[in-house]
Amino acid sequence: MKRGFGSDNHSGIHPKILDAITQANVEHAKGYGDDEWTAKTVALFKRIFGESAVPFLVFNGTGANILSLKSLTQPFHAVICAETAHINVDECGAPERFLGCKLIDIPCPDGKLTPELILPVLHSFGDQHHVQPKVISISQSTELGTLYQPEEIAALAELAHRYNMYLHVDGSRFANAVAALNTSFKSLSADLGVDVLSFGGTKNGLMIGEAVVFLRSELAENFLFHRKQAAQLYSKMRFMAAQFEAFFDNDLWMEIAGNANKMAQLLAQKLSDINAVKITQKVEANAVFAVIDPQLKQKLLQEYFFYDWNEARGEVRWMCSWDTSEEDVVRFVEAIKKCIKA
Amino acid sequence: MKRGFGSDNHSGIHPKILDAITQANVEHAKGYGDDEWTAKTVALFKRIFGESAVPFLVFNGTGANILSLKSLTQPFHAVICAETAHINVDECGAPERFLGCKLIDIPCPDGKLTPELILPVLHSFGDQHHVQPKVISISQSTELGTLYQPEEIAALAELAHRYNMYLHVDGSRFANAVAALNTSFKSLSADLGVDVLSFGGTKNGLMIGEAVVFLRSELAENFLFHRKQAAQLYSKMRFMAAQFEAFFDNDLWMEIAGNANKMAQLLAQKLSDINAVKITQKVEANAVFAVIDPQLKQKLLQEYFFYDWNEARGEVRWMCSWDTSEEDVVRFVEAIKKCIKA
Amino acid sequence: MKRGFGSDNHSGIHPKILDAITQANVEHAKGYGDDEWTAKTVALFKRIFGESAVPFLVFNGTGANILSLKSLTQPFHAVICAETAHINVDECGAPERFLGCKLIDIPCPDGKLTPELILPVLHSFGDQHHVQPKVISISQSTELGTLYQPEEIAALAELAHRYNMYLHVDGSRFANAVAALNTSFKSLSADLGVDVLSFGGTKNGLMIGEAVVFLRSELAENFLFHRKQAAQLYSKMRFMAAQFEAFFDNDLWMEIAGNANKMAQLLAQKLSDINAVKITQKVEANAVFAVIDPQLKQKLLQEYFFYDWNEARGEVRWMCSWDTSEEDVVRFVEAIKKCIKA
Amino acid sequence: MKRGFGSDNHSGIHPKILDAITQANVEHAKGYGDDEWTAKTVALFKRIFGESAVPFLVFNGTGANILSLKSLTQPFHAVICAETAHINVDECGAPERFLGCKLIDIPCPDGKLTPELILPVLHSFGDQHHVQPKVISISQSTELGTLYQPEEIAALAELAHRYNMYLHVDGSRFANAVAALNTSFKSLSADLGVDVLSFGGTKNGLMIGEAVVFLRSELAENFLFHRKQAAQLYSKMRFMAAQFEAFFDNDLWMEIAGNANKMAQLLAQKLSDINAVKITQKVEANAVFAVIDPQLKQKLLQEYFFYDWNEARGEVRWMCSWDTSEEDVVRFVEAIKKCIKA
């Protein structure tokens, strides 16, 4: 399959990250994180997210999310999220299964929760008949390619803490958000009151690896046991740690995430004067959502693979990746134009 | 850390397997197993285990085990295993957590279950007060480095099926068993009545990857959903599939597992005339268990890392790996001799 | 506390049912349902719901619901219900906890699901990323005091079965529905395609007791084990069975449920010309929902206890019970009038 | 079925307890424990167990046990118990299902754990691969009819607390223990360091009802939510509370439990000179265990129902109850003698 706009996990491993795996492939190392690569990577995370940050590596995004949330909840709690949240629609019920908790999902057209949207579900605290709201979970960048501004996150953190709840960020594309907002990892998380972050690597050029980053260390207390029970403990951890090390080294992450974001901007710009393509969401990270008519979609799918987002209204999703080039964008837009004319 | 005998997951990635990852790192591929590498690997597994085999890739051994068992059980069932089984002692209760099931563990000095040992717990079928035995789970090779002979497995399968139960094999070192018994994957599993197999890659030179191999296809019916719920679905699956492809290609597995076994034999042989080292288990796969005195252990640990197996009786475990060389063995034995003299 | 309109579980035990408990209190009986009272009650249920019905007794409504649903689902399934469903809002997440499943709740102003409301969530079958819809769960009578007409239930059963799903009825007030529709238990369940029914006793004059009634016997296969695991198996079962026997004897249920329904009608009628009370739902079973102003509510609460239903819009709930008398209704309406004038 | 020795839950409701239910059956009362009967009963428990005790009522023994343990554990913890413990063998895996925890069961011939038996499993604290021991759970009186002496319980509490663990007592027959040891509820629990107690009513003359009694109030923090999620919250709570009130009133419990104990002593004494009956456990509470030959058992079963305890060694169990009379014992012994001669 040639390069396309299907997903940011359709692209491969960034060469520098693959190189890091190769470099780490020497002699023996103790398993399960008791190795020098993991130690270095933990130190790196602390440098980047603040000294009180406590990071752990896990296999995938579902694992990062259910383990983040497990550290914050008991089964009678509820997790508040956007209706479009990955934890709500794309994890086959893994959160309910692993946590035992109810997810309270709230419709929000741009994928972003606000205090106003959340307040109506903050009731029945202390009532034994009702689940107890305990976590607000947001995605940054969102599943719709939009971004929370720092002050919006701060407001949600304030709301959460006022009600004795926590703020979790599903950051499978957190690097894209940091790059797009031209800020730092710490400024966009710990400094705003985020309690725990699912931090993604796989969608940003890693072969495999996500992190759970606790921004308040006391929340990490039982994480090791939860991770093992969730079957998310990797024996040859050095090969995951080495990838993150390379990801942060010389701000490679910024190159990676920045390119994906930039290409999405370019794509959106080039599409802006094509009437047959109606962009439906602000393009703030590395995704472009658009409504196109079914015939156009069918033609285009013969050349490029991409996903329907909302079949009922003809909405599709185009994702840019670390390896998306200007030429890729240009060719794709040409293909669209050709399909329209045909 | 130099090469040692700590664990077969302390060694790195076999060069040919790392090379396969590199080869697969081209352009884009669809995620979650919908790619050509995975298709080829599935076909390979079917060729090797029989056409009715249905394989799925997962992240780690705990994941392979809980998902194998989930396809066989409901929460009121019980899983019968050896007291020393990895699922019983080394997975932090993940099976109880994920399955809801009780594990009925049976003491067996060589790590091997027999029909005679199992029969006494096969009672109370149909009694609502009691868990219902449903799976016999054995490890091949065992956690004690011993092997089930084919006829022993067949007898356990017969027992299981007679009681309307299943036989599961935890095969994190199944390749070592096949190599040691000089047989084939199919002959040692499907042909003997094994129902589902956790098939290990990570301890045999892979960077990451295990498989759940259903040998009766109807048992695989809901696996995709269970795997996703268990957070064991890998997005960039091609990089795991490519490793297994290389593992099976040109019988690389035999070279890998065969070497580990051979080095364990060599180690055992060279230790056999050292009085201070009492080997405690038959050396049939790639592990050597021995009782040594605490002083010797402490001295040796200054040069080599390895695990206590049973501190109370002074038993330690030495594992050989795909990269263990004759020179490694010779040096290690010399180190032991030096420690004894010192 | 004098008699009021707080809930149909605020009333006590119907004298004939208490008498049945007393009658059953003789000598010894085997435990856990292996007694003659339970045998008789099972036979009674079969006579009433059809010979293929398989009933089991449990402690409470939450128990009946989670056990009904457990027999129909695996953790990756989803249960579709009204937003107002008891399983969704009043069971503290017990369904998610016990089943592991996601509940897909659908807003419906009168508490009633329809095929039109359900169809939009019937998608992604076979997609490993998504929960798989498996059960439609409705309440009859609903939590809003409304009723499904028989043909409405038949349509939902047809929809469920067309998609290889099941229809569950939460019937904590099923007797009220049967009485109000002047039909029979079988006609309103088995004959319409209902698969399993949570059948309530406690809100209709029993001291304690609910039933799970499977209307397709094959679904009951593992119920005994699930019930025991859910801690819903009663040792002195005869005292629960005897209550149901009395409940069905000489159509006592009809007297009980019929009275509650009739008193709700009377209450609604007497309130109909009071402008300060706006009835918000059809009064079809034993509940009256009304909007009153906060001052009126506060005054009335000094004399009568009752629940807010929706504080935001000033909606309250008044329930009638087996022991509600015409005098109770008259006095309550007088109290309302007095509060309005005051 | 006439009175026999099958189980202490084969007997019915003590007349004074049934009378209390009848007395409570007046007018309306708020549900779910918000009533005056429950308030009185809570106060009674506090008077009896000490002011820091926090009691909650639940439906059955399984419910009491899993909820006691849920307040003490996370899923990666382990519960240590005797191999014969009810939670280990008679609850169909409900603890594993509800807690997610592993039970570590220890063989002990008289049903009693000791620090010596427990110490060998107290290892691997802090090791992410292993379940973390967190609770010692004992039964008082034990499932074998034996008793822990107060100093034995104190020693287990000391051990538990030394390792940052808890001591739970499964007291489905706790009243029998208190009566037999001629002590008080508080002296046999709170004063010895017990952390939480499952306190039985059903086997001592109640129609239905058990209590979870927290002896350290901070452990009760989330109980209400756990109880509701476990489907153990009774709506018409007054009818359960009233039973416990009657049970404690005028020391009725002592009469009830004392009689059952006394009858077991009488039975044991009368059996002591019958060679064909070999009593196998100390008779310290209300149970008699004996080995009899299969033929004798078969004959006796034609007249009296009772359970096999260990079929392999011909051991049976005879339980005495609140309503067992001297005449019952005499007749039973005569029946045994007759069967022997026949």
Side-chain angles (χ1 to χ4, degrees):
Chain A
M1 190 164 102
K2 67 176 182 186
R3 288 214 299 277
F5 298 83
S7 173
D8 34 8
N9 61 33
H10 287 187
S11 53
I13 314 167
H14 189 283
K16 290 187 182 167
I17 288 168
L18 181 51
D19 195 49
I21 293 173
T22 306
Q23 298 299 321
N25 194 29
V26 288
E27 302 294 351
H28 283 192
K30 279 197 205 170
Y32 307 108
D34 192 11
D35 64 81
E36 61 189 273
W37 292 266
T38 305
K40 259 194 237 168
T41 296
V42 166
L44 257 177
F45 269 99
K46 283 176 171 285
R47 198 175 322 144
I48 290 167
F49 283 95
E51 279 309 307
S52 65
V54 185
F56 298 94
L57 305 186
V58 299
F59 291 125
N60 64 359
T62 305
N65 282 334
I66 63 175
L67 282 167
S68 292
L69 295 171
K70 182 67 197 166
S71 294
L72 306 178
T73 56
Q74 296 219 43
F76 56 81
H77 286 142
V79 176
I80 298 164
C81 63
E83 198 180 41
T84 46
H86 199 271
I87 55 169
N88 192 46
V89 293
D90 271 315
E91 289 174 358
C92 198
E96 286 90 345
R97 173 85 171 85
F98 188 69
L99 309 170
C101 290
K102 177 180 279 298
L103 268 58
I104 300 178
D105 59 308
I106 297 179
C108 32
D110 58 355
K112 290 167 60 181
L113 287 172
T114 64
E116 291 66 38
L117 287 167
I118 293 170
L119 274 165
V121 306
L122 298 185
H123 57 74
S124 303
F125 288 100
D127 180 342
Q128 65 184 326
H129 296 275
H130 293 273
V131 291
Q132 302 290 297
K134 196 65 186 178
V135 182
I136 298 172
S137 177
I138 62 173
S139 302
Q140 172 79 320
S141 60
T142 74
E143 291 79 5
L144 298 178
T146 54
L147 285 176
Y148 285 89
Q149 294 301 310
E151 60 273 18
E152 292 173 326
I153 293 179
L156 290 168
E158 190 281 325
L159 177 69
H161 299 154
R162 181 152 35 102
Y163 281 85
N164 196 25
M165 306 193 303
Y166 299 107
L167 181 62
H168 165 251
V169 174
D170 177 352
S172 70
R173 298 181 180 101
F174 197 70
N176 299 82
V178 174
L181 292 166
N182 196 22
T183 180
S184 75
F185 290 104
K186 181 165 174 289
S187 302
L188 198 60
S189 56
D191 292 354
L192 301 174
V194 172
D195 295 296
V196 59
L197 170 70
S198 302
F199 183 75
T202 315
K203 282 173 174 150
N204 266 307
L206 266 64
M207 173 180 151
I208 187 165
E210 311 277 313
V212 173
V213 186
F214 291 96
L215 300 162
R216 289 167 49 192
S217 57
E218 71 273 21
L219 296 173
E221 193 188 357
N222 294 313
F223 188 85
L224 290 181
F225 301 108
H226 287 308
R227 179 174 62 180
K228 177 69 186 176
Q229 272 213 328
Q232 288 282 318
L233 176 60
Y234 180 28
S235 57
K236 295 181 170 176
M237 191 78 88
R238 58 170 151 163
F239 297 114
M240 197 181 277
Q243 294 176 71
F244 275 104
E245 211 187 319
F247 183 65
F248 288 125
D249 191 41
N250 279 319
D251 290 340
L252 177 60
W253 67 270
M254 207 188 284
E255 186 186 320
I256 281 176
N259 179 74
N261 293 346
K262 197 175 135 196
M263 290 303 107
Q265 288 295 339
L266 183 67
L267 177 58
Q269 180 208 310
K270 288 194 178 296
L271 294 171
S272 62
D273 59 351
I274 305 182
N275 286 333
V277 175
K278 281 174 197 65
I279 292 178
T280 54
Q281 294 287 345
K282 282 192 205 171
V283 177
E284 299 182 320
N286 63 324
V288 176
F289 287 79
V291 166
I292 57 176
D293 81 40
Q295 277 185 302
L296 172 53
K297 192 182 77 178
Q298 287 315 318
K299 282 184 206 154
L300 193 55
L301 278 170
Q302 286 165 25
E303 289 194 60
Y304 283 92
F305 175 81
F306 53 86
Y307 288 100
D308 281 314
W309 186 255
N310 185 316
E311 224 168 341
R313 59 174 183 258
E315 194 175 20
V316 300
R317 188 191 74 168
W318 297 318
M319 297 298 296
C320 294
S321 188
W322 68 266
D323 67 348
T324 307
S325 66
E326 287 198 24
E327 195 187 335
D328 290 332
V329 173
V330 168
R331 281 194 188 171
F332 185 58
V333 174
E334 278 168 11
I336 292 175
K337 288 180 177 167
K338 207 182 70 186
C339 289
I340 293 171
K341 284 186 200 144
Chain B
M1 191 164 102
K2 66 176 181 184
R3 288 215 298 276
F5 298 83
S7 173
D8 34 7
N9 61 33
H10 287 187
S11 53
I13 314 166
H14 190 284
K16 289 187 182 165
I17 287 169
L18 182 51
D19 195 49
I21 293 174
T22 306
Q23 297 299 321
N25 194 29
V26 288
E27 301 295 350
H28 284 192
K30 280 197 204 169
Y32 307 109
D34 192 12
D35 64 80
E36 60 188 273
W37 292 265
T38 304
K40 258 194 240 168
T41 296
V42 166
L44 258 177
F45 269 100
K46 283 175 170 287
R47 200 177 321 146
I48 289 167
F49 283 95
E51 278 309 307
S52 66
V54 185
F56 298 94
L57 305 186
V58 298
F59 292 125
N60 64 358
T62 305
N65 281 334
I66 63 176
L67 282 166
S68 292
L69 294 172
K70 182 66 197 166
S71 294
L72 306 178
T73 56
Q74 295 220 44
F76 56 82
H77 287 143
V79 176
I80 298 165
C81 62
E83 198 181 41
T84 47
H86 199 270
I87 55 168
N88 192 45
V89 293
D90 271 315
E91 289 174 356
C92 198
E96 286 90 346
R97 172 87 171 83
F98 188 70
L99 308 171
C101 290
K102 177 180 280 297
L103 267 58
I104 299 178
D105 58 309
I106 297 178
C108 32
D110 59 354
K112 290 167 61 180
L113 288 171
T114 63
E116 292 65 38
L117 287 167
I118 292 170
L119 274 165
V121 306
L122 298 185
H123 57 73
S124 302
F125 288 100
D127 180 342
Q128 64 184 327
H129 297 273
H130 293 273
V131 291
Q132 302 290 298
K134 195 65 186 176
V135 182
I136 297 172
S137 176
I138 62 173
S139 302
Q140 172 79 319
S141 61
T142 74
E143 292 79 5
L144 299 178
T146 54
L147 285 176
Y148 286 89
Q149 294 301 311
E151 61 273 19
E152 293 173 325
I153 294 179
L156 290 168
E158 190 281 325
L159 177 69
H161 300 154
R162 180 151 37 101
Y163 281 85
N164 196 25
M165 307 194 301
Y166 299 107
L167 181 62
H168 165 251
V169 174
D170 177 352
S172 70
R173 299 181 180 102
F174 197 68
N176 299 82
V178 175
L181 291 166
N182 196 22
T183 179
S184 76
F185 290 104
K186 182 165 174 287
S187 304
L188 198 59
S189 57
D191 292 355
L192 301 175
V194 173
D195 295 297
V196 59
L197 169 71
S198 301
F199 182 76
T202 315
K203 282 173 174 151
N204 266 307
L206 266 65
M207 173 179 151
I208 186 165
E210 312 277 313
V212 173
V213 186
F214 290 97
L215 300 162
R216 289 167 50 191
S217 57
E218 70 273 22
L219 296 173
E221 193 188 356
N222 294 312
F223 188 85
L224 290 181
F225 301 108
H226 288 308
R227 178 174 63 180
K228 176 70 184 174
Q229 272 213 328
Q232 289 283 317
L233 177 60
Y234 180 28
S235 58
K236 295 180 171 177
M237 190 77 87
R238 58 170 150 162
F239 297 114
M240 196 181 277
Q243 294 175 71
F244 275 105
E245 211 186 318
F247 182 65
F248 288 126
D249 191 40
N250 279 318
D251 290 339
L252 177 60
W253 67 270
M254 207 188 285
E255 185 185 322
I256 281 177
N259 180 73
N261 293 346
K262 197 174 134 196
M263 290 304 107
Q265 288 295 341
L266 184 66
L267 177 57
Q269 179 209 309
K270 287 193 179 296
L271 294 171
S272 63
D273 59 351
I274 305 182
N275 287 333
V277 175
K278 281 175 197 63
I279 293 179
T280 54
Q281 294 287 345
K282 282 193 206 170
V283 177
E284 298 182 321
N286 63 324
V288 176
F289 288 80
V291 166
I292 57 176
D293 81 39
Q295 277 184 303
L296 172 52
K297 190 181 79 179
Q298 287 315 317
K299 281 184 207 154
L300 193 55
L301 279 169
Q302 287 165 24
E303 291 194 59
Y304 283 93
F305 174 80
F306 53 87
Y307 287 100
D308 281 315
W309 185 254
N310 186 315
E311 225 168 339
R313 58 174 183 257
E315 194 175 18
V316 300
R317 188 192 72 168
W318 297 319
M319 298 297 297
C320 295
S321 189
W322 66 267
D323 67 349
T324 306
S325 65
E326 288 199 22
E327 196 188 334
D328 289 332
V329 173
V330 168
R331 281 194 189 171
F332 185 58
V333 174
E334 278 168 10
I336 291 175
K337 287 182 178 167
K338 208 182 70 186
C339 289
I340 293 170
K341 283 186 201 146
Chain C
M1 191 163 102
K2 66 177 183 185
R3 289 212 298 274
F5 298 83
S7 172
D8 35 7
N9 61 34
H10 286 186
S11 54
I13 314 166
H14 190 284
K16 288 186 182 167
I17 288 168
L18 182 51
D19 194 49
I21 293 174
T22 306
Q23 297 299 322
N25 193 28
V26 288
E27 301 296 351
H28 284 191
K30 279 196 205 170
Y32 306 108
D34 192 12
D35 63 81
E36 61 190 273
W37 292 266
T38 305
K40 259 193 237 169
T41 297
V42 166
L44 257 177
F45 269 98
K46 283 176 170 285
R47 199 176 319 146
I48 290 166
F49 282 94
E51 278 310 306
S52 66
V54 185
F56 298 95
L57 305 186
V58 299
F59 292 126
N60 64 0
T62 306
N65 282 334
I66 64 176
L67 282 166
S68 292
L69 295 170
K70 182 66 196 165
S71 294
L72 305 178
T73 56
Q74 295 220 44
F76 56 82
H77 287 142
V79 176
I80 299 165
C81 62
E83 199 181 40
T84 47
H86 198 272
I87 56 169
N88 191 46
V89 292
D90 271 315
E91 288 174 358
C92 198
E96 285 90 345
R97 172 86 172 85
F98 188 70
L99 308 171
C101 290
K102 178 180 279 297
L103 267 58
I104 300 178
D105 59 308
I106 298 179
C108 32
D110 58 354
K112 290 167 61 181
L113 288 172
T114 63
E116 291 66 37
L117 287 167
I118 293 170
L119 274 164
V121 307
L122 298 185
H123 57 74
S124 301
F125 289 100
D127 180 341
Q128 64 185 328
H129 296 274
H130 293 273
V131 290
Q132 302 291 298
K134 196 64 185 179
V135 182
I136 299 172
S137 177
I138 62 172
S139 302
Q140 172 80 322
S141 63
T142 74
E143 292 79 5
L144 298 178
T146 54
L147 285 176
Y148 286 89
Q149 294 300 310
E151 60 274 18
E152 292 173 325
I153 294 180
L156 291 168
E158 190 282 325
L159 177 69
H161 300 155
R162 182 153 33 104
Y163 281 85
N164 196 24
M165 307 194 301
Y166 299 107
L167 181 62
H168 165 250
V169 174
D170 177 352
S172 71
R173 299 181 181 102
F174 197 69
N176 299 83
V178 175
L181 292 166
N182 196 23
T183 179
S184 75
F185 290 103
K186 181 166 176 288
S187 304
L188 198 61
S189 57
D191 291 355
L192 301 174
V194 172
D195 294 297
V196 59
L197 169 72
S198 302
F199 182 75
T202 315
K203 282 173 175 150
N204 266 306
L206 265 65
M207 173 178 151
I208 186 166
E210 310 278 312
V212 173
V213 186
F214 291 96
L215 299 161
R216 289 168 49 192
S217 56
E218 70 274 22
L219 297 172
E221 193 187 356
N222 293 313
F223 188 85
L224 290 181
F225 301 108
H226 287 308
R227 179 174 63 181
K228 176 71 186 176
Q229 272 212 329
Q232 289 281 319
L233 176 59
Y234 180 28
S235 58
K236 295 181 171 176
M237 190 78 89
R238 58 170 152 164
F239 297 114
M240 196 182 277
Q243 293 176 71
F244 275 104
E245 209 187 319
F247 182 67
F248 288 126
D249 191 41
N250 278 319
D251 289 340
L252 175 61
W253 67 271
M254 206 188 285
E255 186 186 320
I256 281 176
N259 180 73
N261 293 346
K262 197 174 135 196
M263 291 303 107
Q265 289 295 340
L266 183 67
L267 177 58
Q269 180 207 311
K270 287 191 178 299
L271 294 170
S272 64
D273 58 352
I274 304 182
N275 286 333
V277 175
K278 282 174 197 62
I279 292 178
T280 53
Q281 294 287 346
K282 281 193 204 169
V283 177
E284 298 182 321
N286 62 324
V288 176
F289 287 79
V291 165
I292 58 177
D293 81 39
Q295 277 184 304
L296 172 52
K297 191 181 80 178
Q298 287 316 318
K299 281 185 205 154
L300 193 56
L301 278 169
Q302 286 166 26
E303 289 193 60
Y304 283 92
F305 175 81
F306 52 87
Y307 287 100
D308 280 314
W309 186 255
N310 185 316
E311 226 169 340
R313 60 174 183 256
E315 193 175 17
V316 299
R317 187 191 74 167
W318 298 318
M319 297 296 297
C320 295
S321 190
W322 67 266
D323 67 347
T324 306
S325 66
E326 288 199 22
E327 196 189 334
D328 289 332
V329 173
V330 168
R331 282 194 188 170
F332 184 59
V333 174
E334 278 168 10
I336 292 175
K337 288 181 177 168
K338 209 183 70 186
C339 290
I340 294 171
K341 283 186 198 147
Chain D
M1 190 164 102
K2 65 177 183 185
R3 289 212 298 275
F5 298 83
S7 172
D8 35 7
N9 62 33
H10 286 187
S11 53
I13 314 167
H14 190 283
K16 289 186 182 166
I17 288 169
L18 181 51
D19 194 50
I21 294 173
T22 306
Q23 297 298 322
N25 193 29
V26 288
E27 301 296 350
H28 284 192
K30 280 195 204 171
Y32 307 108
D34 192 11
D35 65 80
E36 60 189 275
W37 291 266
T38 305
K40 259 193 238 170
T41 296
V42 166
L44 256 177
F45 268 99
K46 282 175 170 287
R47 200 176 318 146
I48 289 166
F49 283 94
E51 277 310 307
S52 65
V54 185
F56 298 95
L57 305 186
V58 299
F59 292 126
N60 64 359
T62 305
N65 282 334
I66 64 176
L67 282 166
S68 292
L69 295 170
K70 182 67 196 164
S71 293
L72 306 177
T73 56
Q74 295 220 44
F76 57 81
H77 287 142
V79 176
I80 299 165
C81 62
E83 199 181 40
T84 47
H86 199 272
I87 56 169
N88 191 46
V89 293
D90 271 316
E91 289 174 356
C92 197
E96 285 90 346
R97 172 87 171 84
F98 188 70
L99 309 171
C101 290
K102 178 180 278 298
L103 268 57
I104 299 178
D105 59 309
I106 297 180
C108 32
D110 58 354
K112 290 167 60 180
L113 288 172
T114 64
E116 291 66 36
L117 287 167
I118 293 170
L119 274 165
V121 307
L122 297 185
H123 57 75
S124 302
F125 288 99
D127 180 342
Q128 64 185 327
H129 297 274
H130 292 273
V131 290
Q132 302 291 297
K134 195 64 185 178
V135 182
I136 299 172
S137 177
I138 62 173
S139 302
Q140 172 79 321
S141 62
T142 74
E143 292 79 5
L144 298 178
T146 55
L147 286 176
Y148 286 90
Q149 293 301 309
E151 61 274 18
E152 293 174 326
I153 294 179
L156 291 168
E158 190 282 325
L159 177 69
H161 300 154
R162 182 152 34 105
Y163 280 85
N164 196 24
M165 306 194 301
Y166 299 107
L167 180 61
H168 165 250
V169 174
D170 177 352
S172 70
R173 298 182 180 101
F174 198 68
N176 299 82
V178 175
L181 291 166
N182 196 22
T183 180
S184 76
F185 289 103
K186 181 166 175 290
S187 303
L188 197 60
S189 57
D191 292 355
L192 301 174
V194 172
D195 294 298
V196 59
L197 170 71
S198 301
F199 183 75
T202 315
K203 282 174 175 151
N204 266 306
L206 266 65
M207 173 178 151
I208 187 166
E210 311 278 311
V212 173
V213 186
F214 291 96
L215 300 162
R216 289 168 49 192
S217 56
E218 70 274 21
L219 296 172
E221 193 187 355
N222 294 313
F223 188 86
L224 290 181
F225 301 108
H226 288 307
R227 179 175 63 179
K228 176 70 185 176
Q229 272 212 329
Q232 289 282 318
L233 176 59
Y234 181 28
S235 57
K236 295 181 170 176
M237 192 78 89
R238 58 170 152 164
F239 297 113
M240 196 181 277
Q243 293 175 71
F244 274 105
E245 211 186 320
F247 182 66
F248 288 127
D249 191 40
N250 279 317
D251 288 340
L252 176 61
W253 67 270
M254 206 187 285
E255 185 186 321
I256 282 176
N259 180 73
N261 293 347
K262 198 173 135 196
M263 290 304 107
Q265 289 295 342
L266 183 67
L267 176 58
Q269 180 207 310
K270 286 190 179 301
L271 294 171
S272 63
D273 57 352
I274 304 182
N275 286 334
V277 175
K278 282 176 196 61
I279 292 178
T280 53
Q281 294 287 347
K282 281 193 205 170
V283 177
E284 298 182 322
N286 63 323
V288 176
F289 288 79
V291 166
I292 57 177
D293 80 39
Q295 276 185 305
L296 172 53
K297 191 181 80 178
Q298 287 316 317
K299 281 184 206 156
L300 193 56
L301 278 170
Q302 286 165 27
E303 290 192 60
Y304 283 92
F305 174 80
F306 53 88
Y307 287 100
D308 280 315
W309 186 256
N310 186 315
E311 226 169 339
R313 59 174 182 258
E315 194 175 17
V316 299
R317 187 191 74 168
W318 297 319
M319 297 297 296
C320 294
S321 188
W322 67 267
D323 68 346
T324 306
S325 66
E326 288 199 23
E327 196 187 333
D328 289 333
V329 174
V330 169
R331 280 193 189 172
F332 185 58
V333 174
E334 278 168 9
I336 292 176
K337 288 182 177 168
K338 208 181 70 186
C339 290
I340 294 171
K341 284 185 199 147

